Every structure is written in structure tokens, then in C-alpha cells.
């Protein structure tokens, strides 16, 4: 019901666990090695919404880096499902921090692999904090901001491909955005 195509589900190796009643998303390191699994609840009454396999190196992993690293630019989002929706919209250079927390390891990885970073964080205070943390540490990169504050969307996963493309194509240069008094 989230609008994923079979091709996208196959590309990311998505499976379903009958015993846990969760969608299972494999996470890979930059060398394409599976380093853990994300279990996503399929209904709101299953808590917590996300479960990570034991020993999951969340602070070190940017979801989909193994595919995105071949590009000079990336789009960074919070969730794995957000990344999958953006990939499906035609942007394979997407990575996810797997939450709003940006670690030193994430910053180092972003800085070493990408010259241009488009920040497409969630439309909430945690997403704003994520955006600000990336700006604080990667101000020397070409940064673009996607602002969808008054759009009615919570995150990119709520959008269809045309809406995602429209927001990406209308991203704002960080310096212009900061001059407008947004930062």
C-alpha cells in the first residue's frame, strides 16, 4: 500500500517475515555486503515500528551507499523506505541515515564520497535538526535544501514519483536559503 513497484522491492531485496509480521529490508555496507536487517512493522498496532538485527551498525551505515557511491552527488533522507521511494522516482543516488540522527561516521562518509548533497529530511523538528547537523559539518560541500514545510507531507515516502521529482528539481541552494533567513 506504499506504492512500491515489484522492481523496486526486488532491487532492494525486500522480503517478508511471517513469524515477525514485518517487512525485512537488508542493509549493506559500501562493498555490498549485508551487515544487518531492518524489520518494518506493517501495521500501526505493531510496536516498535522498526526493529534492527542484533549488532546492526546503524551509526556507521548509510543505507544504499553501495549503489549511490558511484555518483558525485547524493540525496540524503532519514528512512530506508524514503530512500526506496526516491530511487523508484528515478534517483539512484539516494542514501538514508536510518533515522534523524546524523553521526560523525555519517558525516565522514558523506564528505568523502559526495561533492553535492541534497538534504531531503523529514518535515518535522527531528528532520530540521538532521538538516542543521549536515549543514554544520559539511558547509564546504555544495548543499541543497528541500523545503516542503507547508506541503502536507511528513516525508518523501508519502509522495509519489512526480511529487518527489518536483521537490528535488526545486531544491534550494543552501547559501540562497540561508540568505532568505531560513537558517
Amino acid at each position: 500500500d506504499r506504492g512500491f513497484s515489484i522492481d523496486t522491492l526486488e532491487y532492494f531485496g525486500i522480503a517478508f517475515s511471517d513469524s515477525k509480521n514485518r517487512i525485512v529490508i537488508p542493509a549493506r555496507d559500501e562493498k555490498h555486503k549485508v551487515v544487518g536487517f531492518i524489520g518494518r512493522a506493517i501495521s500501526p498496532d505493531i510496536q516498535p515500528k522498526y526493529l534492527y538485527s542484533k549488532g546492526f551498525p546503524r551509526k556507521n551505515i548509510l543505507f544504499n551507499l553501495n549503489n549511490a557511491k558511484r555518483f558525485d552527488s547524493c540525496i540524503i533522507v532519514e528512512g530506508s523506505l524514503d530512500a526506496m521511494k526516491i530511487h523508484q522516482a528515478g534517483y539512484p543516488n539516494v542514501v538514508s541515515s536510518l533515522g534523524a540522527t546524523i553521526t560523525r561516521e555519517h558525516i565522514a562518509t558523506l564528505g568523502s564520497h559526495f561533492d553535492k548533497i541534497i538534504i531531503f529530511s523529514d518535515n518535522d523538528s527531528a528532520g530540521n535538526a538532521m538538516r542543521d547537523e549536515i549543514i554544520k559539518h559539511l558547509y564546504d560541500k555544495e548543499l541543497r535544501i528541500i523545503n516542503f514545510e507547508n506541503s502536507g507531507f511528513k516525508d518523501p515516502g508519502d509522495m509519489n514519483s512526480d511529487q518527489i521529482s518536483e521537490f528535488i528539481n526545486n531544491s534550494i541552494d543552501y547559501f540562497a536559503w540561508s540568505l532568505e533567513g531560513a537558517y
Side-chain angles (χ1 to χ4, degrees):
D1 67 340
R2 300 277 308 221
F4 290 110
S5 69
I6 295 297
D7 288 343
T8 298
L9 297 174
E10 288 176 352
Y11 182 84
F12 286 98
I14 306 304
F16 183 75
S17 168
D18 289 324
S19 63
K20 300 277 186 191
N21 206 23
R22 291 178 180 273
I23 295 167
V24 179
I25 306 163
R28 301 175 182 278
D29 65 14
E30 66 181 283
K31 294 182 175 136
H32 206 68
K33 179 184 173 207
V34 173
V35 294
F37 296 93
I38 306 162
R40 169 63 161 84
I42 59 167
S43 67
D45 58 318
I46 300 173
Q47 293 298 320
K49 186 190 288 189
Y50 288 97
L51 285 176
Y52 293 86
S53 56
K54 186 177 180 174
F56 190 95
R58 195 165 156 190
K59 73 176 194 165
N60 299 322
I61 294 296
L62 286 173
F63 179 80
N64 197 47
L65 178 64
N66 56 306
N67 296 307
K69 69 180 184 178
R70 66 182 179 194
F71 299 95
D72 292 334
S73 67
C74 79
I75 302 161
I76 184 164
V77 296
E78 291 182 38
S80 55
L81 298 180
D82 298 333
M84 291 168 54
K85 280 295 273 288
I86 289 174
H87 170 88
Q88 183 172 285
Y91 301 91
N93 60 327
V94 62
V95 297
S96 165
S97 58
L98 300 174
T101 302
I102 293 292
T103 66
R104 285 182 295 205
E105 292 83 1
H106 292 151
I107 294 293
T109 301
L110 287 167
S112 67
H113 285 341
F114 305 107
D115 297 323
K116 177 181 175 184
I117 301 165
I118 301 170
I119 305 167
F120 205 160
S121 54
D122 285 6
N123 190 10
D124 57 20
S125 59
N128 292 341
M130 173 187 169
R131 176 200 63 216
D132 294 348
E133 193 67 15
I134 294 169
I135 291 168
K136 177 180 170 185
H137 294 287
L138 294 171
Y139 57 86
D140 58 336
K141 298 291 180 177
E142 182 182 345
L143 299 176
R144 297 195 64 82
I145 310 298
I146 295 179
N147 182 1
F148 57 108
E149 188 173 80
N150 298 314
S151 67
F153 296 111
K154 182 199 173 296
D155 59 41
D158 293 339
M159 301 175 189
N160 65 38
S161 293
D162 290 338
Q163 292 161 331
I164 288 168
S165 291
E166 183 177 334
F167 281 111
I168 290 172
N169 292 333
N170 291 310
S171 64
I172 305 162
D173 177 81
Y174 159 68
F175 292 107
W177 179 74
S178 64
L179 291 174
E180 290 174 5
Y183 188 65

